[in-house]
Amino acid sequence: MARIVVAEVCPDCGSLDVRASEPRWFRIELERRRDFDDGWVERLEFECRDCRGVWD
């Protein structure tokens, strides 16, 4: 089975040095997160480490 990898590119500067985060109103301890979260990401936010641009 072939796997496809897609790299997120900054829309402002074209950098590939991008980080992803799942913004939340509060942080749940990792050992208890399973009790509250089924693992689905509601919203994924990206930030460029070069120009600090943020998008979702």
Side-chain angles (χ1 to χ4, degrees):
M1 174 194 255
R3 295 182 187 248
I4 298 173
V5 176
V6 178
E8 188 68 29
V9 178
C10 176
D12 294 329
C13 72
S15 173
L16 290 171
D17 193 3
V18 173
R19 73 178 195 95
S21 65
E22 181 184 351
R24 293 188 178 273
W25 288 99
F26 57 92
R27 180 173 296 198
I28 299 173
E29 293 297 324
L30 293 177
E31 63 271 3
R32 297 207 55 221
R33 184 172 181 167
R34 200 171 334 165
D35 298 336
F36 298 100
D37 188 354
D38 62 1
W40 291 98
V41 176
E42 294 174 10
R43 191 178 111 223
L44 194 59
E45 185 176 273
F46 298 96
E47 178 184 356
C48 177
R49 293 182 183 197
D50 288 336
C51 73
R52 299 292 183 214
V54 176
W55 66 98
D56 56 7

